[in-house]
Amino acid sequence: MHIEARPLVVAAALFSLASGWATESARAASEIAFTVGSYPVDAVAASAVKAKEKALADGQQAAFRALLKRIVPVTAYPRLKRLQGVRAADYGDGFSVRSERNSSTRYIASLDFAFRAQGVRDLLNREGVPFVDSQAPKVLLVPVLSQGGKFTGGSWADAWKGLDLEHTLTPVEIAPLKPEIHADTIKMVMEGRGGAERILATEYKADQVVLAVAEVDASTNKLLVSYGGTDAVGPLVWKRGLRIADGDLAYTMELASVIGLGVLEGRWKAVEARAAGGVGTLAGGGEPVTMQVEFEGIAEWNDIRRRLLGLPGIDGVEVGGVTARSADLSLRYPGGGARLADALAAQGMTLRNFGGTWVLRSSF
């Protein structure tokens, strides 16, 4: 009788272990976004010990702010003001060192700061700040640097590889450009035309593939970055130009990659927030903004309108008079015109206030 019962006991034990592993795996998956990885710290003090202490304290506080901006929808950023006095150390869960070096008075390192997921969730819930902490399905991202008709990964791929692509809300796997991706497909992305997603999905045998093309425009001293493909939200067509300050192309590429990852995260947060009741509801509604939109022709007007309507948090859009080169537009957006200007900058558009009148133009 004992012999017959033993397989049942063993099966029950194995089931218990498997359940425990599954629970632990699910818990880890839900908390992975609460680690801010590859965070740079740099501090100087009277001694090496003091410099390290300062770097850790300041770095943890800055990483905590980065975490909040990671998981809070952009339209709810104004609510983060309520948390300005919060000590990151009260929610810290340790750190690990990726690299470090020091002198007798300076400490420089790249660190991973972990924070207690439930503690941060409780804080945000208590303060009425909406957040999204569920990770999106992984995206395959192909960085391409366009130089004189030649296409490589180069320093543009290195910029992406330097980011924390594991703990982000939108995990990214970097992939090389395949020979099967021809110049016409790259050009399609650079010109902001749709359709590349089907080619990329076929050649990479994956549903979510994004081609990120960077090119230096010497005439304007800008790094032009274009994205095309499919991310965790759906088809993606996005362009941005960044001025190369002081000739520092490496820094500009690093900044462009950070902005690009932010766009992927922002799109995912907007979708998840809508599923929880709507971005506008979570962010507490919006303020009225009246603007004049300037464009070169009907094609550009349609493109600006498409990008504007796709921006999370936009509500109550009304189009007034439309001419061959301009249109009057009114809408509502959380934080008003100033906050909208920041959001539109990430969409390749410029919104500026001239003498009390908001004017919207494409950056390209």
Side-chain angles (χ1 to χ4, degrees), residues 17 53 77 115 125 139 151 182 193 230 261 304 310 314 321 326:
L17 284 173
E53 290 176 352
Y77 278 3
F115 297 93
N125 285 326
V139 172
F151 307 108
H182 299 146
R193 292 186 282 132
T230 304
L261 183 59
I304 290 176
I314 292 290
S326 68

PDB file of all heavy atoms in Angstrom, residues 17 53 77 115 125 139 151 182 193 230 261 304 310 314 321 326:
ATOM      1  N   LEU A  17       6.490  21.873  -6.199  1.00  0.00           N
ATOM      2  CA  LEU A  17       7.695  22.568  -6.626  1.00  0.00           C
ATOM      3  C   LEU A  17       7.439  23.367  -7.893  1.00  0.00           C
ATOM      4  O   LEU A  17       7.856  24.516  -8.016  1.00  0.00           O
ATOM      5  CB  LEU A  17       8.818  21.558  -6.877  1.00  0.00           C
ATOM      6  CG  LEU A  17       9.503  20.980  -5.633  1.00  0.00           C
ATOM      7  CD1 LEU A  17      10.463  19.864  -6.034  1.00  0.00           C
ATOM      8  CD2 LEU A  17      10.252  22.077  -4.886  1.00  0.00           C
ATOM      9  N   GLU A  53      30.272  56.953  -1.229  1.00  0.00           N
ATOM     10  CA  GLU A  53      29.020  57.130  -0.483  1.00  0.00           C
ATOM     11  C   GLU A  53      28.122  58.162  -1.165  1.00  0.00           C
ATOM     12  O   GLU A  53      26.909  57.960  -1.300  1.00  0.00           O
ATOM     13  CB  GLU A  53      29.320  57.561   0.951  1.00  0.00           C
ATOM     14  CG  GLU A  53      29.943  56.469   1.799  1.00  0.00           C
ATOM     15  CD  GLU A  53      30.314  56.970   3.190  1.00  0.00           C
ATOM     16  OE1 GLU A  53      30.222  58.216   3.418  1.00  0.00           O
ATOM     17  OE2 GLU A  53      30.681  56.150   4.053  1.00  0.00           O
ATOM     18  N   TYR A  77       2.746  62.841 -15.531  1.00  0.00           N
ATOM     19  CA  TYR A  77       3.981  63.352 -14.943  1.00  0.00           C
ATOM     20  C   TYR A  77       3.760  64.510 -13.964  1.00  0.00           C
ATOM     21  O   TYR A  77       4.485  64.614 -12.963  1.00  0.00           O
ATOM     22  CB  TYR A  77       4.946  63.801 -16.043  1.00  0.00           C
ATOM     23  CG  TYR A  77       5.756  62.676 -16.657  1.00  0.00           C
ATOM     24  CD1 TYR A  77       5.561  61.350 -16.276  1.00  0.00           C
ATOM     25  CD2 TYR A  77       6.721  62.936 -17.624  1.00  0.00           C
ATOM     26  CE1 TYR A  77       6.298  60.325 -16.844  1.00  0.00           C
ATOM     27  CE2 TYR A  77       7.468  61.913 -18.194  1.00  0.00           C
ATOM     28  CZ  TYR A  77       7.256  60.616 -17.801  1.00  0.00           C
ATOM     29  OH  TYR A  77       7.990  59.606 -18.356  1.00  0.00           O
ATOM     30  N   PHE A 115      14.655  48.400  -6.644  1.00  0.00           N
ATOM     31  CA  PHE A 115      13.701  49.004  -5.711  1.00  0.00           C
ATOM     32  C   PHE A 115      12.595  47.995  -5.382  1.00  0.00           C
ATOM     33  O   PHE A 115      12.265  47.126  -6.199  1.00  0.00           O
ATOM     34  CB  PHE A 115      13.100  50.281  -6.317  1.00  0.00           C
ATOM     35  CG  PHE A 115      14.113  51.352  -6.573  1.00  0.00           C
ATOM     36  CD1 PHE A 115      14.742  51.474  -7.814  1.00  0.00           C
ATOM     37  CD2 PHE A 115      14.472  52.235  -5.566  1.00  0.00           C
ATOM     38  CE1 PHE A 115      15.700  52.451  -8.043  1.00  0.00           C
ATOM     39  CE2 PHE A 115      15.424  53.222  -5.791  1.00  0.00           C
ATOM     40  CZ  PHE A 115      16.046  53.328  -7.028  1.00  0.00           C
ATOM     41  N   ASN A 125      -0.011  54.318  -5.395  1.00  0.00           N
ATOM     42  CA  ASN A 125      -1.452  54.186  -5.142  1.00  0.00           C
ATOM     43  C   ASN A 125      -1.914  55.154  -4.066  1.00  0.00           C
ATOM     44  O   ASN A 125      -2.975  55.774  -4.173  1.00  0.00           O
ATOM     45  CB  ASN A 125      -1.790  52.746  -4.735  1.00  0.00           C
ATOM     46  CG  ASN A 125      -1.772  51.780  -5.910  1.00  0.00           C
ATOM     47  OD1 ASN A 125      -2.122  52.160  -7.030  1.00  0.00           O
ATOM     48  ND2 ASN A 125      -1.368  50.545  -5.665  1.00  0.00           N
ATOM     49  N   VAL A 139      10.800  43.170 -28.357  1.00  0.00           N
ATOM     50  CA  VAL A 139      10.895  43.701 -29.714  1.00  0.00           C
ATOM     51  C   VAL A 139      12.304  43.457 -30.244  1.00  0.00           C
ATOM     52  O   VAL A 139      13.296  43.656 -29.529  1.00  0.00           O
ATOM     53  CB  VAL A 139      10.587  45.214 -29.740  1.00  0.00           C
ATOM     54  CG1 VAL A 139      10.882  45.804 -31.118  1.00  0.00           C
ATOM     55  CG2 VAL A 139       9.140  45.464 -29.366  1.00  0.00           C
ATOM     56  N   PHE A 151      25.391  50.807 -45.315  1.00  0.00           N
ATOM     57  CA  PHE A 151      24.577  50.602 -44.118  1.00  0.00           C
ATOM     58  C   PHE A 151      25.263  49.623 -43.166  1.00  0.00           C
ATOM     59  O   PHE A 151      25.556  48.480 -43.542  1.00  0.00           O
ATOM     60  CB  PHE A 151      23.193  50.072 -44.504  1.00  0.00           C
ATOM     61  CG  PHE A 151      22.491  50.926 -45.534  1.00  0.00           C
ATOM     62  CD1 PHE A 151      22.337  50.485 -46.838  1.00  0.00           C
ATOM     63  CD2 PHE A 151      22.007  52.173 -45.188  1.00  0.00           C
ATOM     64  CE1 PHE A 151      21.695  51.269 -47.791  1.00  0.00           C
ATOM     65  CE2 PHE A 151      21.365  52.973 -46.121  1.00  0.00           C
ATOM     66  CZ  PHE A 151      21.214  52.516 -47.429  1.00  0.00           C
ATOM     67  N   HIS A 182      17.079  45.114 -48.199  1.00  0.00           N
ATOM     68  CA  HIS A 182      17.721  45.906 -49.243  1.00  0.00           C
ATOM     69  C   HIS A 182      17.586  47.404 -48.984  1.00  0.00           C
ATOM     70  O   HIS A 182      16.821  47.838 -48.122  1.00  0.00           O
ATOM     71  CB  HIS A 182      17.132  45.533 -50.603  1.00  0.00           C
ATOM     72  CG  HIS A 182      17.341  44.097 -50.955  1.00  0.00           C
ATOM     73  ND1 HIS A 182      16.425  43.353 -51.672  1.00  0.00           N
ATOM     74  CD2 HIS A 182      18.362  43.243 -50.655  1.00  0.00           C
ATOM     75  CE1 HIS A 182      16.877  42.129 -51.821  1.00  0.00           C
ATOM     76  NE2 HIS A 182      18.048  42.021 -51.209  1.00  0.00           N
ATOM     77  N   ARG A 193       7.678  56.189 -44.770  1.00  0.00           N
ATOM     78  CA  ARG A 193       6.595  55.485 -45.447  1.00  0.00           C
ATOM     79  C   ARG A 193       6.319  54.155 -44.743  1.00  0.00           C
ATOM     80  O   ARG A 193       7.230  53.470 -44.282  1.00  0.00           O
ATOM     81  CB  ARG A 193       6.951  55.218 -46.910  1.00  0.00           C
ATOM     82  CG  ARG A 193       7.021  56.488 -47.757  1.00  0.00           C
ATOM     83  CD  ARG A 193       7.237  56.150 -49.205  1.00  0.00           C
ATOM     84  NE  ARG A 193       8.630  55.806 -49.476  1.00  0.00           N
ATOM     85  CZ  ARG A 193       9.007  54.733 -50.174  1.00  0.00           C
ATOM     86  NH1 ARG A 193       8.103  53.873 -50.613  1.00  0.00           N
ATOM     87  NH2 ARG A 193      10.290  54.506 -50.401  1.00  0.00           N
ATOM     88  N   THR A 230       7.175  47.129 -36.585  1.00  0.00           N
ATOM     89  CA  THR A 230       6.097  46.809 -35.660  1.00  0.00           C
ATOM     90  C   THR A 230       6.661  46.614 -34.268  1.00  0.00           C
ATOM     91  O   THR A 230       7.558  45.788 -34.071  1.00  0.00           O
ATOM     92  CB  THR A 230       5.363  45.523 -36.085  1.00  0.00           C
ATOM     93  OG1 THR A 230       4.892  45.653 -37.428  1.00  0.00           O
ATOM     94  CG2 THR A 230       4.180  45.242 -35.168  1.00  0.00           C
ATOM     95  N   LEU A 261      14.041  54.620 -27.120  1.00  0.00           N
ATOM     96  CA  LEU A 261      13.512  53.652 -26.160  1.00  0.00           C
ATOM     97  C   LEU A 261      12.335  54.252 -25.400  1.00  0.00           C
ATOM     98  O   LEU A 261      11.350  53.571 -25.113  1.00  0.00           O
ATOM     99  CB  LEU A 261      14.616  53.231 -25.186  1.00  0.00           C
ATOM    100  CG  LEU A 261      14.232  52.168 -24.152  1.00  0.00           C
ATOM    101  CD1 LEU A 261      13.776  50.887 -24.829  1.00  0.00           C
ATOM    102  CD2 LEU A 261      15.418  51.885 -23.225  1.00  0.00           C
ATOM    103  N   ILE A 304       0.876  65.615 -40.035  1.00  0.00           N
ATOM    104  CA  ILE A 304       0.867  66.269 -38.719  1.00  0.00           C
ATOM    105  C   ILE A 304      -0.397  65.900 -37.960  1.00  0.00           C
ATOM    106  O   ILE A 304      -0.354  65.567 -36.764  1.00  0.00           O
ATOM    107  CB  ILE A 304       0.962  67.806 -38.877  1.00  0.00           C
ATOM    108  CG1 ILE A 304       2.355  68.197 -39.371  1.00  0.00           C
ATOM    109  CG2 ILE A 304       0.657  68.504 -37.547  1.00  0.00           C
ATOM    110  CD1 ILE A 304       2.510  69.676 -39.646  1.00  0.00           C
ATOM    111  N   GLY A 310      -2.655  60.686 -32.758  1.00  0.00           N
ATOM    112  CA  GLY A 310      -2.152  59.452 -32.164  1.00  0.00           C
ATOM    113  C   GLY A 310      -1.427  59.656 -30.857  1.00  0.00           C
ATOM    114  O   GLY A 310      -1.000  58.691 -30.218  1.00  0.00           O
ATOM    115  N   ILE A 314      -4.364  63.344 -25.888  1.00  0.00           N
ATOM    116  CA  ILE A 314      -5.047  64.334 -26.715  1.00  0.00           C
ATOM    117  C   ILE A 314      -6.552  64.096 -26.660  1.00  0.00           C
ATOM    118  O   ILE A 314      -7.023  62.967 -26.777  1.00  0.00           O
ATOM    119  CB  ILE A 314      -4.566  64.258 -28.182  1.00  0.00           C
ATOM    120  CG1 ILE A 314      -3.116  64.720 -28.294  1.00  0.00           C
ATOM    121  CG2 ILE A 314      -5.465  65.077 -29.099  1.00  0.00           C
ATOM    122  CD1 ILE A 314      -2.924  66.208 -28.078  1.00  0.00           C
ATOM    123  N   GLY A 321     -10.554  76.990 -39.324  1.00  0.00           N
ATOM    124  CA  GLY A 321     -10.275  77.291 -40.720  1.00  0.00           C
ATOM    125  C   GLY A 321      -9.002  76.630 -41.204  1.00  0.00           C
ATOM    126  O   GLY A 321      -8.009  76.579 -40.498  1.00  0.00           O
ATOM    127  N   SER A 326      -1.926  76.548 -43.661  1.00  0.00           N
ATOM    128  CA  SER A 326      -2.122  76.610 -42.214  1.00  0.00           C
ATOM    129  C   SER A 326      -3.523  76.152 -41.825  1.00  0.00           C
ATOM    130  O   SER A 326      -4.419  76.057 -42.672  1.00  0.00           O
ATOM    131  CB  SER A 326      -1.884  78.032 -41.693  1.00  0.00           C
ATOM    132  OG  SER A 326      -2.887  78.905 -42.168  1.00  0.00           O
TER     133      SER A 326
END
